[in-house]
Amino acid sequence: AQQPKVFWLSAFFSAPAFTAGVAQNEARKQGLPYDVMVFDESMVPEEEEEISCPAKYGAYVRGLFFEGGAWNKETGVLDERPPRVLFSRAPVILLEPKRLEEIPPRPHYKCPTYRTAVRRGVLNTTNLSTNFLFFVRVPIQDGTVPEHWTEHGCALLTQLGSE
């Protein structure tokens, strides 16, 4: 069976298990311990249909929505959401496992990713939240402070329903 070019993140019952698997596979390829791997996220300029093959390192994911902000495809940074638009589609994101020291510094907002717009969850038996998934380093314009997006309640969501 061939690996999908782009994974629909919202469809996974356990998105953290998927991301852990992506990181473990890359760690094995590089002969590194799994616990030194972190994700370097990149917003992909191409539409899903334009991606011709699976990611060489990591995985492409789709199906996320911004709340409290919007992706500006022309400038390649997080932007204000248009008036009266609560949610906007996020671009395809490349989740690329790397060692932390390999990730170049760049202006970004550490955007929380949730299953639903309800920003709460309970800890399950594995001590993980039932709603929070992970953070995505979303590029922001030079001179913009990340706190601006925190104050706007900017987050990524895998689904728009509340349950």
Side-chain angles (χ1 to χ4, degrees), residues 67-81:
E67 179 182 29
W71 182 249
N72 186 323
K73 190 173 181 174
E74 285 74 39
T75 61
V77 295
L78 188 58
D79 206 347
E80 302 296 332
R81 63 183 174 84

Side-chain angles (χ1 to χ4, degrees), residues 137-149:
R137 292 164 30 103
V138 179
I140 58 175
Q141 192 165 356
D142 281 333
T144 305
V145 293
E147 292 79 15
H148 172 83
W149 298 107

Side-chain angles (χ1 to χ4, degrees), residues 26-37:
E26 196 57 41
R28 283 189 195 111
K29 284 183 199 173
Q30 295 186 27
L32 296 170
Y34 163 71
D35 59 354
V36 303
M37 303 303 274

Side-chain angles (χ1 to χ4, degrees), residues 92-106:
V92 171
I93 299 172
L94 172 60
L95 300 176
E96 188 176 357
K98 295 180 178 179
R99 291 180 312 196
L100 184 59
E101 58 270 14
E102 294 176 330
I103 298 175
R106 60 184 180 259

Side-chain angles (χ1 to χ4, degrees), residues 15-64:
F18 168 73
T19 56
V22 170
Q24 286 173 346
N25 285 341
E26 196 57 41
R28 283 189 195 111
K29 284 183 199 173
Q30 295 186 27
L32 296 170
Y34 163 71
D35 59 354
V36 303
M37 303 303 274
V38 295
F39 282 106
D40 183 16
E41 304 89 0
S42 302
M43 305 297 153
V44 178
E46 295 88 7
E47 295 296 326
E48 177 185 359
E49 303 78 32
E50 299 171 326
I51 296 173
S52 59
C53 58
K56 186 173 180 179
Y57 304 104
Y60 294 113
V61 296
R62 68 173 179 92
L64 297 175

Side-chain angles (χ1 to χ4, degrees), residues 13-14 16 115 121-132:
F13 176 76
S14 179
R115 293 182 200 280
V122 295
L123 295 181
N124 61 20
T125 55
T126 58
N127 209 29
L128 297 172
S129 171
T130 56
N131 194 22
F132 175 78

